[in-house]
Amino acid sequence: MKKEDMALLIEVEDTLDDMDKTLERLAGHGHANGEFIKLDNVFEVIYHNSHAVYSESPEEGQELFFRILMSRNLTPEQRADILMNGTVYI
């Protein structure tokens, strides 16, 4: 996967997170509790295309992956670079 494509997926994940928060406020539950659960596949694609360091140690690696993905103080391009190269400087 190209870094530009990963950055686009991260932008989608950011938007899904925003949408989920809005759904929780309006309906009391997010997309994962309804018929839109397949939207979580975006997260899975990002995870599966990230550097192996994030899947080597399932608990620690996945937690670090999630923190990087949700670090909105970084641009999607910066997060894509970190996730794809396995560099960790958060």
Side-chain angles (χ1 to χ4, degrees):
M1 175 179 287
K2 291 190 238 178
K3 184 175 113 174
E4 295 81 17
D5 293 334
M6 178 69 93
L8 290 173
L9 285 174
I10 290 171
E11 286 179 347
V12 171
E13 183 64 33
D14 288 348
T15 302
L16 288 172
D17 187 51
D18 292 341
M19 181 188 76
D20 207 42
K21 289 175 184 168
T22 301
L23 283 171
E24 286 178 10
R25 280 197 320 267
L26 295 174
H29 57 82
H31 73 273
N33 294 332
E35 59 188 72
F36 301 110
I37 194 164
K38 298 263 187 219
L39 292 172
D40 285 342
N41 289 344
V42 173
F43 177 90
E44 294 299 324
V45 171
I46 295 169
Y47 183 67
H48 292 297
N49 283 281
S50 293
H51 194 277
V53 72
Y54 303 111
S55 58
E56 289 171 352
S57 172
E59 286 183 23
E60 293 173 4
Q62 200 169 39
E63 181 182 330
L64 182 57
F65 165 83
F66 188 75
R67 283 195 340 225
I68 294 166
L69 184 61
M70 294 296 124
S71 293
R72 290 200 180 181
N73 58 318
L74 302 172
T75 66
E77 292 79 12
Q78 289 170 317
R79 289 180 276 167
D81 188 51
I82 293 168
L83 291 173
M84 293 182 82
N85 293 315
T87 55
V88 182
Y89 58 84
I90 289 193

